[in-house]
């Protein structure tokens, strides 16, 4: 078992080929926003309190009516099958076993039907609005049929951010062994064995609609760019709202203006996020706009903070600023790459125990006790 998320990351780095590790770990351009996601937490100090009976700490909450054993969700991440074969399934199983929720990406490496069948739970489904609205609508219908509870609409990818590590590594789907990366890949026989025995890594939901997808290896970024629609507007959110009967969460909001628009166009939850620094490099850290967004729309919607969480103390800060829950992307992908389902469970366990310990040291017995008085400028 790893001691902390950084240790899980190191284990993943050793187990995964460089191109796969970089696909997970990397971000857009100079990765300034990736670093800012971490730095933003450093601007707050936590306030210790003493003389309070903290023998019973309760970290359970509800999110859009669903119970969570701890205010944590697994963020939607495409192609978990790069980290380990059919990776969405062990990730979703670990979430359910821990009593938390996971949002399954529409760009998953197994179909949304396979996840709901092989890892049953109260999962959410994340959607990009694709150029082909008929395919988009069909995905919504499939997610409805298979019992997904909440639709997460990600709006911060009208075009794909340039992840320079992927370009430099010549990342393809499925990953290919080339002269350049052969030695590096062969040094990770555990990964190679799992991937070689499993099904071909591809965008399974897209391939289900168009069987020509995945027949030949293709470059990652141009393919994704060809799917996404740069004309998407708030009108499309209204359309989503009409065709999806359950709650809708809008992901990728970084300003008060957009948070208000999301609520006006029917969002039940707002996910404050810069896509883990993978989209607009130079944007602020995800935590930075959180307090003003909470002040503006927090009474009308539930707010999730997504990006840069690596410690339970980071979660404590986001929750104290008014987030109802936090999402993690890379921390559980490191776990998946390091040790499959057990690694994801480890990531969840680490963050949960760190949060509980921080709350005890802050004299907070319940999540509701975390508020702005628990923070000072660092
Ligand atoms: C490898 C990878 C793939 C991702 N794929 C998606 C995706 O398909 N849909 C989406 O909305 N966000 C995607 N994201 C962004 C995550 O949902 C989340 O916003 C981000 O990872 C949060 O930052 P963190 O990694 O610091 O926790 C992806 C992130 C990573 C690292």
């Amino acid at each position: 078992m790893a001691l902390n998320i950084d240790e899980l990351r190191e284990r993943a780095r050793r187990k995964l080929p460089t191109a796969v590790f970089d696909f997970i770990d990397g971000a857009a351009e100079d990765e300034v926003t990736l670093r800012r996601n971490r730095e933003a937490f450093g601007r707050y100090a936590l306030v210790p309190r003493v003389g309070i009976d903290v023998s019973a700490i309760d970290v359970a909450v509800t999110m859009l009516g669903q119970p969570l054993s701890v205010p944590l969700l697994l963020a939607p991440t495409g192609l978990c099958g790069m980290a380990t074969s059919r990776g969405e399934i062990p990730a979703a199983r670990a979430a359910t076993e821990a009593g938390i929720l996971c949002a399954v990406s529409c760009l998953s490496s197994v179909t949304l039907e396979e996840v709901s069948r092989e890892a049953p739970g109260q999962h959410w489904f994340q959607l990009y609005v694709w150029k082909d609205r008929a395919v988009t609508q069909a995905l919504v219908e499939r997610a409805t049929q298979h019992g997904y509870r909440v639709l997460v609409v990600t709006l911060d990818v009208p075009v794909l951010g340039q992840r320079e590590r992927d370009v430099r590594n010549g990342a393809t789907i499925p990953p290919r062994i080339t002269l350049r990366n052969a030695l590096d890949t062969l040094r990770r026989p555990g990964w190679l064995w799992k991937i070689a025995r499993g099904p071909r890594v591809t965008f399974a939901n897209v391939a289900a609609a168009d069987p020509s997808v995945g027949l030949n290896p293709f470059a990652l970024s141009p393919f994704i760019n060809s799917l996404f629609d740069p004309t998407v507007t708030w009108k499309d959110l209204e359309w989503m709202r009409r065709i999806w009967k359950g709650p809708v969460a809008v992901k990728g909001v970084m300003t008060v203006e957009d948070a208000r628009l999301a609520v006006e166009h029917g969002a039940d939850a707002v996910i404050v996020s810069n896509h883990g620094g993978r989209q607009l490099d130079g944007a602020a850290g995800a935590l930075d706009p959180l307090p003003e967004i909470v002040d503006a729309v927090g009474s009308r919607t539930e707010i999730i903070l997504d990006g840069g969480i690596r410690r339970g103390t980071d979660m404590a800060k986001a929750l104290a600023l008014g987030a109802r829950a936090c999402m993690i992307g890379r921390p559980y992908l490191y776990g998946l790459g390091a040790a499959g389902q057990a690694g994801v469970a480890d990531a969840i366990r680490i963050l949960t125990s760190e949060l509980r310990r921080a709350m005890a040291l802050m004299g907070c017995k319940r999540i509701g006790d975390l508020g702005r008085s628990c923070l000072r400028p660092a």
Side-chain angles (χ1 to χ4, degrees), residues 23-24 75-78 105 107 126 128 154 251 273 275-276 278 306-308 310 327-331 333:
F23 164 68
I24 293 169
T77 57
S105 166
L107 293 178
Q126 177 267 328
Y128 290 112
T154 300
K251 179 165 180 282
S273 170
H275 216 103
R278 293 163 81 86
D306 166 79
R310 299 294 180 269
M327 266 186 167
I328 49 167
R330 294 180 189 84
L333 293 175

Side-chain angles (χ1 to χ4, degrees), residues 14-49:
R14 286 199 299 273
K15 288 259 175 102
L16 299 173
T18 304
V20 173
F21 179 78
D22 279 349
F23 164 68
I24 293 169
D25 195 62
E29 298 177 6
D30 294 318
E31 306 191 344
V32 169
T33 298
L34 175 71
R35 287 190 290 281
R36 285 189 183 154
N37 274 351
R38 294 293 304 125
E39 288 158 11
F41 290 98
R43 284 191 262 285
Y44 295 94
L46 294 169
V47 177
R49 294 295 308 274

Side-chain angles (χ1 to χ4, degrees), residues 275-336:
H275 216 103
R278 293 163 81 86
Q279 285 298 104
L280 177 63
D281 196 34
L287 191 74
D288 286 326
L290 179 66
E292 58 203 53
I293 292 177
V294 168
D295 292 343
V297 299
S299 59
R300 288 186 284 158
T301 189
E302 296 187 9
I303 295 172
I304 295 176
L305 183 278
D306 166 79
I309 299 275
R310 299 294 180 269
R311 287 282 186 189
T313 47
D314 299 333
M315 291 178 65
K317 289 174 187 176
L319 298 166
L321 289 173
R324 196 168 178 97
C326 302
M327 266 186 167
I328 49 167
R330 294 180 189 84
Y332 84 86
L333 293 175
Y334 298 143
L336 203 56

